[in-house]
Every structure is written in C-alpha cells, then in structure tokens.
Amino acid sequence: MDCLFCAIIRGEIPSTKVYEDESVFAFRDINPQAPTHVLVIPKSHIPSVDGINGENAVEVANIFRVIPKIAAAEGLSNGYRVISNCGADACQSVKHLHFHVLGGAQLSDKMA
Ligand code: DGP
C-alpha cells in the first residue's frame, strides 16, 4: 500500500520518533505549526477519523492513552491542542489517521 505514514512506521522514510509501542507511533511533524508539533498515529492503516469503527476502536483509544504521556514528556504542562483533520474540507493531506499534538506556546483561540 502506498501510504507515507505506513512507510514512516516501517522506517523506510526517516522520521524523528518520540514514542512507539505495539500499536501507536509518534513522530515530529516535518512542518511544525507550534514549538512542539507531534503526530500520533495508529500502526494500522486507518484512513481518517471516518475509518474508526468497532474493530479498531481499542487501537484508537490507545492513542488517547499515549497522548498525555507524550505531552508530559514534551513538557507541555501548560496545555496543548489535539487536532485530527478529516477529509477535504479539513485539508487532510495524508490519508492515514493522525492526531496533531500542538503546544509549547500560547495557541490561537481560533481553531479554523
Ligand atoms: P494533515 O494536513 O492533517 O493531513 O497533516 C499531515 C501532516 O503531515 C502535515 O502537518 C505535515 C506532515 N508530514 C507530511 N509529510 C511528512 C513527512 O514525510 N514526515 C513528517 N515527519 N511529517 C510529514
């Protein structure tokens, strides 16, 4: 399957990894939008939030167990934002489910 993030998980494309376990992978965004910008992804290929279902919900839930650990390790004690773009109107550019974790500065009060 020709998926950029699957290739990153396999190590075929280099990335700056910040976390990995049996079902979750996290790495620094190549185009950071905040001082800390980490992408947290499932190792399974789920195309977007629209692809979350009863069969992969545990894997997705694990992402949300990991995000606070990553935030703490990154020193985001003053808060952070979690975003997932889904589909064209949201400008999703990589069709592998990912959660942006943004922090390290005061973020905009506007989300769109
Ligand atoms: P989105 O627009 O929500 O689909 O976010 C995709 C993000 O992926 C975007 O912020 C840039 C990031 N990205 C794209 N290609 C690469 C890459 O090759 N390496 C890394 N580390 N990040 C990438």
Side-chain angles (χ1 to χ4, degrees):
M1 191 192 306
D2 186 19
C3 170
L4 174 66
F5 285 177
C6 286
I8 285 177
I9 291 165
R10 292 193 297 266
E12 295 166 3
I13 293 173
S15 69
T16 305
K17 181 171 75 174
V18 301
Y19 179 88
E20 181 175 15
D21 64 25
E22 50 297 348
S23 69
V24 180
F25 194 88
F27 57 104
R28 298 200 187 283
D29 195 290
I30 203 168
N31 182 26
Q33 305 290 316
T36 297
H37 187 167
V38 173
L39 299 173
V40 189
I41 67 177
K43 285 189 170 175
S44 298
H45 183 81
I46 302 169
S48 73
V49 168
D50 274 345
I52 299 172
N53 57 39
E55 289 184 8
N56 59 35
V58 169
E59 191 174 359
V60 176
N62 281 338
I63 289 175
F64 284 91
R65 288 155 53 109
V66 163
I67 284 174
K69 296 179 186 176
I70 293 173
E74 294 288 322
L76 304 181
S77 56
N78 208 41
Y80 56 94
R81 180 170 290 159
V82 181
I83 296 172
S84 189
N85 295 319
C86 179
D89 276 4
C91 301
Q92 182 184 3
S93 61
V94 180
K95 306 301 188 281
H96 182 124
L97 178 64
H98 52 282
F99 295 91
H100 299 259
V101 177
L102 299 149
Q106 178 64 59
L107 303 176
S108 169
D109 62 354
K110 296 180 175 53
M111 284 192 286

